[in-house]
Amino acid sequence: MTTLWDDLESIVDAPSSFTVKGGEKSSIKPKADFNSGDDVVALRKAMEGIGTTEKTLIDILTHRSSSQRETICKAYLAATNRTLVDDLKGDTNGNFERLLVALATPPAAYDAQEVARAMKGVNDNNAMIEIFASRTNQQIKELAAAYLEEMERKITFDLKKEVSGQFGKAILLLAEGVRDESTTVDSAKAKEDAKALYDAGEKKWGTDEDKFIDILCKRSIPQLRQTLVVYKEISGKTLQESIEGEMSGNLEELLVAIVKCVKNVPAYLAERLHESMKGAGTDEATLNRIMVSRSEVDMLDIRAQFKKLYEDSLHSSIESDTHGNYRKTLLKVCGGEDI
């Protein structure tokens, strides 16, 4: 991983998942001859009566775009006076159920539910870090709107109760979705910010964490990419190395995640997927969240980065780490093998 994250030569002009158009790198595509009525009939037949035809559930939910799945959910409610999500919960179970429910949930609502889940009990800070570091302003605003609709409270209201200190300050800043979206790079500003970061960390005793938070949570992605290049020229280290040396805990994890996403969101998420499956046990919540939420954003890029980083393909890793209908569904979402 060191080689990837230290490489700054090509990042300035490289494509970014923050600006990718939906569909270009997706593993799930819209069905050409889509008919929500036919799908509702098939879904009802698969779940009503004795037993459940899981193959039908998998085929429909992994071969329709999120907007088509949303149309199916509305048509299903109109036809049955029940929600598709409730019926899926009643007819399936375990990880398979949770994955199908995720697919039947609109993307912004799913993100909102994942943030809510991350705040319950012992906080899942890694999930919050992943979501807020990798989402665009638009995705964060849609997440916030979905959270408000479902919880009847602003997401920032709940976050303020659950996160604190400098980590909390940075998360709340990201949750406002106010990152600059300019595509123009100001070279003088990049030098100024790089020097400010160096002065706030490597150059002084102690660390001015506020400066890191302000720059990394507010500047545009193209601007930050240029800043990363200049920072290494000034300090002789990458900004990631400086953060890892100067900070600790959740704030370090968050700021490193932001830097990684500035460089390469698919590589960051490939790393998260690998971590979710390595060793004993599987982190299904992370696996489900990334596979579903990125299936119509940059899944093909994530697959390519996974293969590049770990030699094994994402497809083969899922195949060896999961089983049953859960595995079948994940492999459909993955979209194919990378030889």
Side-chain angles (χ1 to χ4, degrees):
M1 294 303 296
T2 305
T3 305
L4 168 73
W5 298 124
D6 284 357
D7 176 21
L8 299 177
E9 296 302 316
S10 59
I11 67 164
V12 175
D13 298 316
S16 168
S17 291
F18 286 99
T19 56
V20 71
K21 292 178 182 176
E24 288 180 0
K25 299 292 185 176
S26 63
S27 57
I28 294 182
K29 311 283 186 185
K31 189 172 189 289
D33 54 345
F34 173 63
N35 185 308
S36 61
D38 290 346
D39 286 343
V40 168
V41 170
L43 288 166
R44 291 184 68 179
K45 187 178 177 183
M47 289 188 284
E48 290 176 358
I50 299 170
T52 302
T53 310
E54 288 87 356
K55 183 180 184 301
T56 301
L57 304 182
I58 296 168
D59 285 347
I60 290 176
L61 292 175
T62 61
H63 289 91
R64 308 291 185 273
S65 67
S66 58
S67 62
Q68 289 176 337
R69 297 194 299 268
E70 201 166 342
T71 301
I72 290 168
C73 287
K74 289 174 183 173
Y76 192 93
L77 179 62
T80 66
N81 206 31
R82 302 187 305 271
T83 68
L84 177 58
V85 164
D86 283 345
D87 280 3
L88 288 170
K89 287 179 178 178
D91 280 79
T92 59
N93 56 68
N95 293 318
F96 178 51
E97 172 208 317
R98 286 185 280 275
L99 181 55
L100 292 184
V101 167
L103 286 164
T105 304
Y110 182 43
D111 269 354
Q113 289 169 10
E114 281 296 284
V115 173
R117 182 192 62 78
M119 287 191 281
K120 281 183 182 174
V122 178
N123 288 356
D124 182 354
N125 290 319
N126 287 331
M128 279 193 269
I129 288 168
E130 175 203 302
I131 290 169
F132 287 115
S134 65
R135 301 307 192 255
T136 64
N137 282 352
Q138 184 62 32
Q139 287 170 326
I140 288 172
K141 283 169 183 170
E142 289 171 0
L143 181 170
Y147 192 97
L148 180 61
E149 184 177 344
E150 187 157 331
M151 306 295 179
E152 298 183 344
R153 296 184 304 276
K154 286 187 176 181
I155 192 168
T156 49
F157 176 83
D158 284 348
L159 282 169
K160 282 174 186 174
K161 294 189 295 182
E162 297 295 333
V163 294
S164 59
Q166 296 292 72
F167 172 66
K169 180 179 179 179
I171 283 283
L172 284 163
L173 198 51
L174 292 173
E176 289 173 6
V178 293
R179 183 182 294 285
D180 178 23
E181 293 183 317
S182 171
T183 56
T184 304
V185 174
D186 183 336
S187 297
K189 185 68 175 171
K191 288 180 183 177
E192 182 186 320
D193 281 348
K195 186 175 185 308
L197 289 166
Y198 178 63
D199 290 345
E202 292 287 345
K203 197 177 178 182
K204 64 178 289 188
W205 180 260
T207 306
D208 181 357
E209 294 169 342
D210 283 331
K211 183 61 68 177
F212 281 80
I213 292 167
D214 188 59
I215 291 172
L216 289 174
C217 295
K218 289 183 180 178
R219 300 290 187 269
S220 72
I221 301 305
Q223 187 67 31
L224 283 172
R225 284 179 164 184
Q226 183 63 39
T227 304
L228 295 182
V229 173
V230 178
Y231 183 88
K232 188 172 184 184
E233 292 170 358
I234 292 173
S235 74
K237 290 183 177 181
T238 65
L239 184 58
Q240 181 179 331
E241 287 172 326
S242 292
I243 292 168
E244 289 170 342
E246 294 284 324
M247 300 182 198
S248 62
N250 291 321
L251 181 62
E252 177 199 341
E253 295 289 332
L254 175 59
L255 296 184
V256 166
I258 293 170
V259 169
K260 286 181 175 181
C261 287
V262 166
K263 294 176 184 175
N264 192 327
V265 174
Y268 166 69
L269 293 173
E271 188 178 71
R272 291 277 296 149
L273 284 168
H274 182 257
E275 288 168 359
S276 78
M277 292 184 280
K278 74 178 183 182
T282 304
D283 178 0
E284 289 89 358
T286 296
L287 185 55
N288 289 354
R289 183 176 58 252
I290 297 175
M291 294 301 295
V292 173
S293 68
R294 308 309 290 196
S295 61
E296 292 180 80
V297 181
D298 50 8
M299 182 54 67
L300 300 188
D301 286 336
I302 292 171
R303 280 168 39 185
Q305 289 295 332
F306 194 99
K307 179 79 172 177
K308 182 178 175 183
L309 290 167
Y310 305 110
E311 295 184 0
D312 281 343
S313 68
L314 177 57
H315 189 280
S316 64
S317 293
I318 291 169
E319 204 164 29
S320 62
D321 210 69
T322 59
H323 63 274
N325 288 314
Y326 179 56
R327 172 169 60 191
K328 289 176 186 174
T329 311
L330 281 172
L331 292 176
K332 293 280 189 183
V333 175
C334 182
E337 176 64 286
D338 299 294
I339 307 301

